[in-house]
Amino acid sequence: MSVLLTRETRVVVQGITGHQGTVHSRQMREFGTNVVAGVTPGKGGTTVEDVPVFDSVQLAVDATHANASCIFVPAPFAKDALLEAVDAGIRLVVIVTEHIPFHDMLVMYHYARSHGARIIGPNCPGIASPGVAKLGIIPNVVFRPGRVGVISRSGTLTYEIVNGIKEHGLGQSTCLGLGGDPVVGTSFVDALPLFQDDPDTDLIVLVGEIGGTAEEDAAEYIRTQFTKPVVAYIAGRSAPPGKRMGHAGAIITRGKGTAETKLAALRAAGARVARFPYEIPDLVAEIVRHGGSP
Amino acid sequence: MVKLAEWRGKAVFRKYGVPLPQGAVARTADEAEALVRSGAVPLPCVVKAQVLAGGRGKGGAVRFASTATEARAAAEAILGLEFQGERVKELLLEEKLTLSRELYLSLTLDRSARLPLIIASAHGGVEIESVDDHEIDRQHVDPFPGLTNFEKRRVAKVLGLTGGPAKSLDRLLDALWKLFQGEDAELVEINPLAVVGDGLVALDAKVIIEDDAAFRHPEYADIRDDRTPLEEIAREKDIAFVQLDGDIGVIANGAGLTMATLDVLKEFGGNPGVFLDLGGTDDPRKVTEAFLLMARAKPKAVFLNIFGGVTRCDTVAKGLVEAMRQVPADERFPLIARIRGNNEKEGIEILRAAGVTSIPELKQSAQAVVAAAAGGSS
């Protein structure tokens, strides 16, 4: 078991013929992922490192029974790519592409949701379960199979933290990078129940950032429904106040959104709070020592 | 984000049919006077500084005039004023209307709900933050099917509008919804929205356009935000660069890692001032450009903190070594490096050959940076 991915996950890579699409398809395969197809309109019939390329997601699904997608296409075309994947019956899509306008993402999110599909991202590193599969771009070298779940809004900071857990002699069940955009397909609150239900995850590390209220929302869920131990870190505690999104933005986040409000909410929910990334592995190890792991 | 000055926001409003006072823009006192004399701006009129900073009214940058001479005097008084470092270069002159009520109306994104949100209050003309929560109505709009009639009726009720003004609101909300989507706006705000006679008029306009949609809005490309010259150069080279007070430069990849690096430096008494986020790149030339840009900011010490993913450690090391060759002698700075992740060994080897040691631990490397910056200041 793992979160969202299984050994039966069959991946189609949209934008496989681009540089990043090719490089990361190779790395996903090296991780053990079953990459069965690529899609680039106009390049159907070719192959990329032995992976067959199709003109559309529907053709790829018909030929290979792909059931998950990883999108690398440039931002102006990402909306269409997502709609196409959902239309072809794909129900799990990781969008690596950054700089997608949030107005596009609103349409993408609500379209996917109405079809029962889950988006991870955009502008995210993706999801990986060591020994099972990986969808996205998290470097393979940071992983070691284990029982720590990681949910993060960051990219490289996630790699740093996952690597720290590995170097401490511990390992990960599933690492999920949500992406830092204003509108994300999967939020902390969406992700936490998946880790709650995953028998392979004993505890989770939650990596948040300043801005928005996703961490406060997560804290409320943890306080009321999440039963596994949580180690939390919020990046940007000492960052200067960011440029606010006008007065209307302040009205929405009233009294929330800063590192202080997020940390206070998470502490009140029972999470162990790390002040710096390098404190995380120690806190995790302490929980494991005290029987967090069966 | 691209914040539009009031007059630019109102130009966008006009395009979508939002009712506005009659007015025009002046850049000199002569122009202001001429606009009134020609009748382009009816009297009495209001003369408003066109700056993005708030607090114009209190700062004497909004004045009234009932003659052309008074309009000229108001313009002379306002032009050249500074608001939070922003000099007044443009004025908006508009007819002064007799209004019966001031309302608040905005359309923005609710990130948590992942839905557009209409915020409305019958208490306009004041900072919305100062209005009691129960006096503010929040109404989500689903992109499918878009703004509906019942939602518009609810906003009219909240604002206490009936008859002519309610009809005016119905058209106004349709216009704002089209504008919000069509212009890729993050925020459309009218405060105050005035009841004038039997209709509504937008007395102010705040419009913020999303950066990520720039590819389909070339019309906003020329609008400069409040960036420093170096930030402007960085933007052109697609490097995220922020300049603040402080003497330590940070080059990292990814926003989260950059922020975490800042947290650690502060903890050990450092004062980071320039942040450069390489993002994901596998081009050593971009790394070189980033370092040359950093050198121009004249930091006392620079911390390179990279976790290699898409950006490989050897790429960064190559770019760095090339930059060190190019940086002029008087712009050199102490450099502490920490590179981990993809192709770590290759990267460390390239740096070592160039005389730079990579310190693997974040804590120790941050302490070394703070010490180097302190040493340089004595």
Side-chain angles (χ1 to χ4, degrees):
Chain A
M1 272 295 291
S2 49
V3 170
L4 292 172
L5 302 175
T6 69
R7 287 179 204 281
E8 281 70 50
T9 301
R10 298 167 66 81
V11 181
V12 53
V13 175
Q14 293 178 256
I16 193 169
T17 54
H19 177 64
Q20 294 298 341
T22 301
V23 167
H24 291 290
S25 295
R26 186 190 312 138
Q27 292 180 9
M28 282 189 258
R29 294 169 79 194
E30 286 165 3
F31 197 79
T33 314
N34 196 8
V35 177
V36 296
V39 168
T40 299
K43 302 229 171 127
T46 62
T47 59
V48 171
E49 297 179 1
D50 299 332
V51 177
V53 179
F54 298 86
D55 281 323
S56 74
V57 180
Q58 189 64 60
L59 289 170
V61 169
D62 290 346
T64 68
H65 305 288
N67 55 17
S69 169
C70 191
I71 293 181
F72 288 94
V73 308
F77 316 107
K79 180 172 108 178
D80 193 62
L82 177 280
L83 300 179
E84 186 188 350
V86 173
D87 183 71
I90 303 277
R91 293 294 173 258
L92 175 64
V93 185
V94 166
I95 306 176
V96 174
T97 310
E98 59 180 342
H99 298 309
I100 297 176
F102 79 78
H103 281 279
D104 285 3
M105 188 50 204
L106 282 174
V107 170
M108 293 152 75
Y109 171 75
H110 290 282
Y111 185 81
R113 204 170 96 123
S114 70
H115 286 73
R118 174 184 298 279
I119 297 173
I120 297 170
N123 187 17
C124 80
I127 181 169
S129 299
V132 180
K134 175 179 100 167
L135 265 174
I137 61 170
I138 309 177
N140 295 352
V141 295
V142 301
F143 289 103
R144 178 172 184 264
R147 307 190 58 83
V148 181
V150 179
I151 316 175
S152 172
R153 257 171 83 185
S154 299
T156 46
L157 179 59
T158 313
Y159 316 160
E160 168 89 43
I161 287 167
V162 173
N163 192 59
I165 291 168
K166 183 190 78 174
E167 292 191 334
H168 222 82
L170 297 158
Q172 312 86 15
S173 52
T174 296
C175 172
L176 176 55
L178 306 172
D181 275 11
V183 178
V184 291
T186 301
S187 67
F188 285 122
V189 169
D190 299 329
L192 283 165
L194 306 173
F195 286 83
Q196 172 75 40
D197 293 343
D198 176 28
D200 288 342
T201 299
D202 292 338
L203 74 154
I204 64 147
V205 173
L206 185 150
V207 183
E209 291 178 6
I210 51 171
T213 61
E215 292 79 5
E216 283 91 337
D217 298 342
E220 181 57 20
Y221 182 87
I222 290 167
R223 191 176 68 76
T224 54
Q225 295 179 62
F226 198 73
T227 59
K228 298 180 182 181
V230 177
V231 173
Y233 171 71
I234 305 291
R237 198 175 59 244
S238 53
K243 291 170 186 173
R244 294 189 312 164
M245 210 170 87
H247 296 280
I251 290 298
I252 297 173
T253 58
R254 230 170 215 192
K256 295 181 183 176
T258 67
E260 289 73 34
T261 57
K262 291 173 191 302
L263 290 170
L266 286 161
R267 261 194 210 101
R272 304 285 304 275
V273 170
R275 291 168 65 240
F276 303 105
Y278 48 76
E279 291 179 355
I280 293 171
D282 283 334
L283 289 173
V284 169
E286 204 174 298
I287 290 169
V288 171
R289 258 200 315 278
H290 287 86
S293 174
Chain B
M1 60 182 149
V2 184
K3 288 184 196 170
L4 303 188
E6 179 190 0
W7 71 273
R8 286 187 196 273
K10 284 185 169 168
V12 177
F13 275 13
R14 192 167 294 114
K15 183 172 145 193
Y16 286 87
V18 174
L20 296 167
Q22 193 178 335
V25 174
R27 289 176 179 80
T28 64
D30 283 346
E31 278 179 26
E33 186 179 348
L35 284 173
V36 174
R37 292 212 186 276
S38 70
V41 176
L43 288 170
C45 73
V46 55
V47 183
K48 296 198 265 188
Q50 296 299 289
V51 287
L52 297 171
R56 288 183 303 179
K58 289 173 201 151
V62 177
R63 292 172 187 245
F64 297 96
S66 46
T67 66
T69 313
E70 279 179 28
R72 181 188 183 87
E76 281 171 347
I78 298 171
L79 280 167
L81 287 178
E82 259 192 36
F83 284 84
Q84 293 163 30
E86 192 185 352
R87 191 169 287 277
V88 180
K89 288 182 223 150
E90 283 144 349
L91 301 169
L92 179 63
L93 282 79
E94 284 181 335
E95 63 178 321
K96 184 174 184 291
L97 296 167
T98 305
L99 52 95
S100 53
R101 290 181 59 208
E102 292 184 304
L103 314 169
Y104 174 93
L105 187 62
S106 68
L107 191 48
T108 188
L109 168 70
D110 182 347
R111 293 166 59 146
S112 280
R114 292 174 273 213
L115 285 169
L117 181 72
I118 293 175
I119 303 175
S121 174
H123 300 271
V126 295
E127 289 210 344
I128 191 68
E129 290 99 320
S130 66
V131 176
D132 265 2
D133 231 28
H134 67 275
E135 304 276 14
I136 299 172
D137 183 68
R138 296 165 176 81
Q139 160 121 11
H140 287 119
V141 181
D142 199 304
F144 307 106
L147 185 64
T148 61
N149 287 332
F150 79 85
E151 288 163 340
K152 291 190 283 184
R153 286 197 298 271
R154 173 171 156 170
V155 176
K157 190 161 175 64
V158 166
L159 296 178
L161 299 178
T162 54
K167 278 185 194 145
S168 182
L169 179 76
D170 184 81
R171 288 190 297 272
L172 176 77
L173 283 169
D174 281 337
L176 290 186
W177 176 246
K178 280 192 190 123
L179 187 164
F180 185 62
Q181 295 193 307
E183 301 297 314
D184 279 292
E186 286 181 19
L187 171 70
V188 185
E189 185 178 67
I190 307 176
N191 187 23
L193 173 65
V195 180
V196 176
D198 205 29
L200 297 174
V201 179
L203 295 193
D204 197 4
K206 186 170 282 176
V207 178
I208 301 178
I209 307 295
E210 198 206 10
D211 267 340
D212 284 342
F215 67 86
R216 55 192 175 208
H217 294 286
E219 67 272 27
Y220 298 120
D222 292 339
I223 300 174
R224 294 281 185 256
D225 214 328
D226 43 1
R227 286 183 284 269
T228 67
L230 284 182
E231 287 174 353
E232 194 56 49
I233 296 169
R235 186 180 148 93
E236 279 160 17
K237 296 187 188 297
D238 196 27
I239 296 166
F241 181 92
V242 180
Q243 219 175 342
L244 300 159
D245 295 332
D247 50 21
I248 296 176
V250 175
I251 300 180
N253 58 330
L257 186 59
T258 307
M259 286 194 281
T261 305
L262 172 64
D263 292 344
V264 177
L265 285 171
K266 285 252 186 187
E267 171 71 7
F268 295 114
N271 189 15
V274 187
F275 310 96
L276 207 151
D277 176 2
L278 283 177
T281 179
D282 45 16
D283 182 0
R285 281 171 304 181
K286 188 171 168 188
V287 180
T288 302
E289 282 183 344
F291 267 90
L292 294 174
L293 201 62
M294 178 58 87
R296 292 174 61 181
K298 303 203 181 306
K300 282 188 182 158
V302 170
F303 185 19
L304 173 74
N305 188 15
I306 299 294
F307 204 99
V310 170
T311 309
R312 300 193 322 263
C313 291
D314 54 331
T315 304
V316 175
K318 275 180 205 154
L320 168 61
V321 171
E322 176 57 26
M324 285 168 59
R325 217 177 50 75
Q326 290 185 29
V327 173
D330 61 333
E331 286 184 8
R332 297 248 163 87
F333 45 75
L335 173 78
I336 310 309
R338 172 176 183 266
I339 54 174
R340 309 291 319 267
N342 270 354
N343 295 24
E344 180 176 321
K345 276 183 195 145
E346 293 87 337
I348 288 172
E349 197 42 55
I350 292 167
L351 287 184
R352 184 181 295 142
V356 178
T357 307
S358 174
I359 303 174
E361 301 299 329
L362 181 53
K363 193 170 170 178
Q364 282 75 9
S365 51
Q367 286 169 326
V369 177
V370 175
S377 68
S378 57

